[in-house]
Amino acid sequence: MNLLDTLLRCVATLVVFLVLPLVIGQTEHKVMAHMQGRLGPMYAGGFHGWAQLVADGVKFAQKEDVVPAGADRRVFRIAPAVALLPYLLVLLAIPVGPNGFVGQAIDAGIFFVLAVMGIGVLGSLMAGWASANKFSLLGGLRTAAQLMSYELPMLLAAASVAMAAGTVSLPGIVDAFHWWWIPWQAIGAFVFFTAGLAELQRPPFDMPVADSEIIFGAYTEYTGLRFALFLLSEYAGILVVSGLTTVLFLGGWHGPLPDSLGWLWTLLKTFALAFVVIWLRVTYPRLREDQLMRFAWTVLIPLALVQLALTGIVKVAIS
């Protein structure tokens, strides 16, 4: 891999990182407008409210950047970057197509992406701690508790598919994929996708940002572009979780299209899952904190262990 090839891969990953989360954000505006009969997002710019995303960007840019007097200013300012940048690193490791169509192939790809995604959640904890606001601190502590609870089932589900493929490399898992894996790994896919939503604090797992109780959790004191970076990190997280679910459980670029168009098949699956994320936000109410913790420890973790045992049984039977 020469310098030019490395540079092109980095630029392509950066373009995807800057464009696709915004597309998901615009899609969420439109899907929620249709599902809930919201008229506002359908007017900006005229036809189908095409300029809603532009209007939101201008609104955030015009707002004053305020730092609370009692805040830890340095930590307060870098928290949005800590929340956002890990998803850029994860995108580098997600294979989009065959024949090296990936930013950087990593031998221990699963361990890398799960470890880096865990770092991203620390941005919310830093924001809550540094804001000098009791509601922000409470939101940050809820975020930490939620991360510890849902990281384990996510890791167990990923371990199951790695055991099935015989490798922890993401391109290797996609190469080893067979279509009969989908019903066999369905439990693991459900656990992984659900735990990913909880780590992103997406509804119905958005208790750390419960506006009816703690204003907006760890992000209460943030304004302007810093607040916009937290929103962007949420949409980047949707892209990453949907992409990882596609690669691990839905065969990645495998599909009816030729291998040369495998990247298109990967994007279609990823955006289908992103639509499901938006659909769940519209459909289900927020879980209480006790319900949220109970769901992780009494439902997702036992299901992940069942999937891990099933994978071991099937691997022995095949051998």
Side-chain angles (χ1 to χ4, degrees):
M1 185 181 294
N2 56 38
L3 180 60
L4 179 60
D5 184 58
T6 302
L7 182 61
L8 289 176
R9 290 171 183 265
C10 291
V11 170
T13 304
L14 182 61
V15 170
V16 169
F17 178 73
L18 294 176
V19 173
L20 293 189
L22 296 179
V23 173
I24 293 175
Q26 178 77 344
T27 303
E28 182 170 58
H29 276 112
K30 304 310 169 187
V31 170
M32 293 180 66
H34 283 292
M35 288 186 172
Q36 297 182 327
R38 298 185 177 191
L39 299 179
M42 308 303 291
Y43 278 92
F47 176 72
H48 210 69
W50 66 268
Q52 180 62 48
L53 194 65
V54 178
D56 286 341
V58 172
K59 175 187 70 175
F60 286 124
Q62 288 179 334
K63 287 188 175 181
E64 182 181 1
D65 182 18
V66 178
V67 179
D72 185 328
R73 302 180 72 87
R74 181 176 299 176
V75 177
F76 184 87
R77 285 172 171 165
I78 67 173
V82 174
L84 179 62
L85 290 182
Y87 294 117
L88 173 60
L89 298 179
V90 173
L91 282 179
L92 281 170
I94 297 179
V96 181
N99 304 319
F101 203 154
V102 57
Q104 176 63 51
I106 301 175
D107 292 337
I110 284 185
F111 296 124
F112 174 79
V113 298
L114 292 179
V116 175
M117 285 178 64
I119 294 174
V121 183
L122 291 179
S124 300
L125 183 59
M126 292 169 60
W129 180 264
S131 292
N133 181 305
K134 61 182 180 181
F135 298 110
S136 298
L137 178 59
L138 181 58
L141 293 177
R142 286 182 177 181
T143 298
Q146 192 161 309
L147 168 66
M148 289 188 291
S149 297
Y150 283 90
E151 189 76 15
L152 181 57
M154 196 175 192
L155 179 60
L156 291 174
S160 171
V161 74
M163 182 190 299
T167 177
V168 292
S169 167
L170 294 179
I173 290 174
V174 181
D175 285 332
F177 176 81
H178 300 282
W179 287 110
W180 57 272
W181 282 18
I182 292 181
W184 168 34
Q185 294 289 335
I187 297 175
F190 168 77
V191 172
F192 186 89
F193 188 67
T194 305
L197 293 184
E199 289 205 1
L200 295 177
Q201 304 167 45
R202 289 284 301 184
F205 305 101
D206 59 336
M207 181 54 69
V209 292
D211 53 336
S212 59
E213 300 178 30
I214 52 177
I215 307 177
F216 207 66
Y219 319 125
T220 297
E221 299 291 350
Y222 281 87
T223 60
L225 291 178
R226 297 187 195 278
F227 182 77
L229 288 178
F230 278 116
L231 292 183
L232 182 60
S233 69
E234 179 178 330
Y235 293 126
I238 294 174
L239 176 65
V240 166
V241 169
S242 300
L244 285 176
T245 306
T246 297
V247 168
L248 295 177
F249 298 98
L250 299 180
W253 61 77
H254 292 297
L257 300 175
D259 282 350
S260 60
L261 295 176
W263 61 271
L264 180 59
W265 193 236
T266 301
L267 288 180
L268 288 175
K269 294 178 185 178
T270 299
F271 273 93
L273 290 175
F275 175 80
V276 173
V277 174
I278 299 170
W279 194 353
L280 291 174
R281 173 178 179 176
V282 177
T283 305
Y284 289 99
R286 177 184 299 131
L287 295 176
R288 293 198 317 265
E289 187 68 18
D290 61 312
Q291 294 172 330
L292 192 147
M293 294 293 111
R294 188 184 304 118
F295 183 71
W297 292 99
T298 65
V299 178
L300 291 188
I301 291 179
L303 285 178
L305 292 174
V306 168
Q307 177 66 78
L308 204 59
L310 177 61
T311 300
I313 293 171
V314 173
K315 286 289 286 185
V316 171
I318 293 176
S319 300

